[in-house]
Amino acid sequence: MLPQLDEACMKNLDHYRYIVESSPDCVQEVDVGGRITSINQSGCVLLQLDSPDEIIGRVWIALWPKSSHHRLELALKAAFVGQPSQFTAMCPTLKGEERWWFVAISPALDAEGRPDSALVVSRDVTERLRVDEALETINQSLQAKLTVVNAAREQGIQRESMLQQRLDIAAAAQALAEQLSHQAQKNEAIGQLVAGIAHDFNNMLQTIIGGLSAVLDQSDRLAHDQRRFLGYSMEGARHAVILAKRLMAFVRVHRFQSEAVELQAVVTDIIDFASHSLGSGIHLKLEDTCERFPTLADRHGIEQAVMNLCINARDACGGQGDIVISFGHLGVDEDGASSLREAGVYVTLSVADRGTGMDAETRERLFEPYFTTKTAGQGTGLGLAQIYGFMRQSGGFVDVHTELGAGTTMTLAFPLNVERELQRTADACLAS
Ligand SMILES: Nc1ncnc2c1ncn2[C@@H]1O[C@H](COP(=O)(O)OP(=O)(O)OP(=O)(O)O)[C@@H](O)[C@H]1O
Ligand SMILES: [Mg+2]
């Protein structure tokens, strides 16, 4: 019976040897003393051995870098009390090439079922880890790029929504300007009618006044009561003349009419009137320059805009201080251009004060029609909306520079009237 059993055992042994030898992994057996007792063919190739003898009998842990020793000792100890374990670590081949291994250690049992050696199966995972590492690097750089793209997108959205907000305000301001202009057209028809009547009425009153004066000139021929009543009549007629004149002034309406104007000349014409209207606490200064600032715009619109800006500046200064009006040139290149400011050359008119300045919310909303920070009766919130609409009609724009507590400069930029400028240069050349 015994030889038969031996034969069966031998068969089994051959079978298991065949399995171990055909494994692509490095399979080693380690005895209780921690020495390697066998290694398969794949193991020799993977560890770059010329023969298994190079490693058989050597202490298994000693082949590994010192930093892994503690972990390996624990794993071996565990195997000898029947507990399998796994780990991944680096160990160079015998020729010194760095390799990473996924190691599975399990107990091998004797005939009585006690662990008498440890079976160490090591798989070379160097390539896989390199691929993982490369993928991680690619992933990190993609993440970084994604963060940049997301930030840019976020910024883009913010810029877009700011631009949209500005476009909305521009549309509202322009609609207001058009509405006022449309209203002005209607008023103009009524105004002409009223002005005509007032004018004729005034003429008739002149006739009446002429007649009454002639009678009053011969007052020595009149009784006291007659003189008194004639005096009342004269006074009434004179009041009626004032009323007729007021009526004519009141109905004098205006429509947007573009004409060739020079900014400094327009402002110089109204500076005395403006200065007087702003009150004695305000010192209105006009920066004088020998340059010219020609544009095509509505003269009356410019006058009104300057008055509105000066009144805002006066209010921001509490009625006391300097307001400075200055002029300049401004170029907008393609990079700085947008749907609200076309590229080109502009002439500018600035009104600067050292008043309260504006906070962020006011700065953001100041062109909105009906936006005001003033108390009821003090402001309607239409001044700047009207200016904004007027500047759009003129093909220009408004720039605001403000600092809370330090003051504000509002700049109106009108397109340069190139023709006028060329004409002036040509005249100057001819004269010299
Ligand atoms: N120079 C300035 N300094 C500080 N704040 C200003 C200045 N100009 C305008 N503002 C602010 O902008 C708001 C809007 O101005 P806007 O001229 O449109 O209306 P308003 O002056 O309030 O009223 P209205 O001009 O219709 O009488 C003002 O209420 C004020 O808060
Ligand atoms: Mg105002």
Side-chain angles (χ1 to χ4, degrees), residues 307-313 315 371-372 374 378-385 387:
M307 279 311 295
N308 266 326
L309 293 180
C310 287
I311 290 170
N312 280 350
D315 294 348
F371 171 80
T372 181
K374 296 173 188 171
Q378 293 295 308
T380 60
L382 285 177
L384 287 177
I387 291 177

Side-chain angles (χ1 to χ4, degrees), residues 308-317 351-353 355-359 362-363 365-375 377-387 402 407-410:
N308 266 326
L309 293 180
C310 287
I311 290 170
N312 280 350
R314 178 201 64 191
D315 294 348
C317 301
V351 177
D353 65 67
T356 55
M358 294 174 222
D359 59 20
T362 307
R363 166 71 189 83
R365 302 188 55 195
L366 81 170
F367 292 118
E368 272 179 34
Y370 306 108
F371 171 80
T372 181
T373 56
K374 296 173 188 171
T375 48
Q378 293 295 308
T380 60
L382 285 177
L384 287 177
Q386 243 173 298
I387 291 177
T402 186
T408 301
T409 301
M410 304 286 297

Side-chain angles (χ1 to χ4, degrees), residues 16-34:
Y16 285 117
R17 188 165 295 139
Y18 174 73
I19 293 175
V20 168
E21 282 306 324
S22 57
S23 164
D25 298 328
C26 168
V27 182
Q28 294 159 288
E29 200 175 0
V30 175
D31 67 15
V32 282

Side-chain angles (χ1 to χ4, degrees), residues 58-311:
R58 288 180 67 175
V59 176
W60 176 65
I61 289 177
L63 300 174
W64 292 78
K66 276 211 170 61
S67 53
S68 302
H69 285 187
H70 181 61
R71 186 204 261 177
L72 301 184
E73 275 161 13
L74 290 177
L76 262 189
K77 265 189 198 154
F80 285 115
V81 293
Q83 286 194 350
S85 62
Q86 300 174 336
F87 60 87
T88 301
M90 196 286 288
C91 182
T93 64
L94 280 215
K95 295 212 165 120
E97 263 182 35
E98 254 187 28
R99 291 280 162 84
W100 281 83
W101 307 93
F102 172 71
V103 183
I105 303 182
S106 46
L109 306 178
D110 63 10
E112 271 105 48
R114 284 190 306 255
D116 68 344
S117 62
L119 194 64
V120 182
V121 179
S122 313
R123 176 165 295 171
D124 183 354
V125 291
T126 314
E127 276 316 304
R128 211 193 70 202
L129 288 188
R130 270 192 201 134
V131 170
D132 284 355
E133 210 174 295
L135 281 175
E136 183 56 29
T137 313
I138 293 172
N139 193 27
Q140 275 176 6
S141 88
L142 283 177
Q143 281 293 351
K145 278 190 185 132
L146 200 68
T147 314
V148 172
V149 168
N150 278 344
R153 213 181 100 233
E154 194 85 342
Q155 243 184 9
I157 292 172
Q158 265 179 12
R159 226 180 286 145
E160 208 174 287
S161 90
M162 239 166 74
L163 188 65
Q164 189 53 51
Q165 234 175 348
R166 299 222 167 111
L167 283 171
D168 289 348
I169 292 175
Q174 188 149 4
L176 179 77
E178 274 158 17
Q179 193 188 328
L180 291 173
S181 170
H182 184 66
Q183 189 62 41
Q185 282 175 36
K186 280 205 229 157
N187 289 351
E188 194 174 58
I190 300 169
Q192 274 170 358
L193 181 73
V194 175
I197 295 173
H199 182 261
D200 291 350
F201 191 60
N202 184 43
N203 283 351
M204 284 179 231
L205 284 170
Q206 296 307 326
T207 317
I208 295 171
I209 289 171
L212 288 176
S213 317
V215 179
L216 276 171
D217 280 347
Q218 302 162 10
S219 58
D220 47 340
R221 287 212 244 138
L222 299 173
H224 175 72
D225 273 357
Q226 286 171 324
R227 269 207 309 278
R228 199 157 51 94
F229 287 122
L230 265 177
Y232 291 153
S233 307
M234 188 65 144
E235 210 176 305
R238 290 224 160 96
H239 273 298
V241 167
I242 292 169
L243 276 182
K245 284 195 173 150
R246 272 200 204 149
L247 205 54
M248 281 192 279
F250 181 72
V251 296
R252 203 190 314 130
V253 282
H254 190 82
R255 249 201 286 176
F256 185 92
Q257 255 171 356
S258 207
E259 59 180 309
V261 286
E262 201 282 315
L263 291 182
Q264 195 168 205
V266 175
V267 178
T268 306
D269 281 351
I270 58 158
I271 197 77
D272 286 342
F273 167 70
S275 195
H276 184 74
S277 318
L278 293 174
S280 55
I282 293 291
H283 182 211
L284 184 60
K285 286 203 278 195
L286 186 63
E287 265 188 10
D288 213 3
T289 152
C290 49
E291 280 186 83
R292 313 271 304 160
F293 307 94
T295 186
L296 278 175
D298 179 274
R299 168 184 289 274
H300 178 75
I302 301 174
E303 290 171 355
Q304 267 201 333
V306 171
M307 279 311 295
N308 266 326
L309 293 180
C310 287
I311 290 170

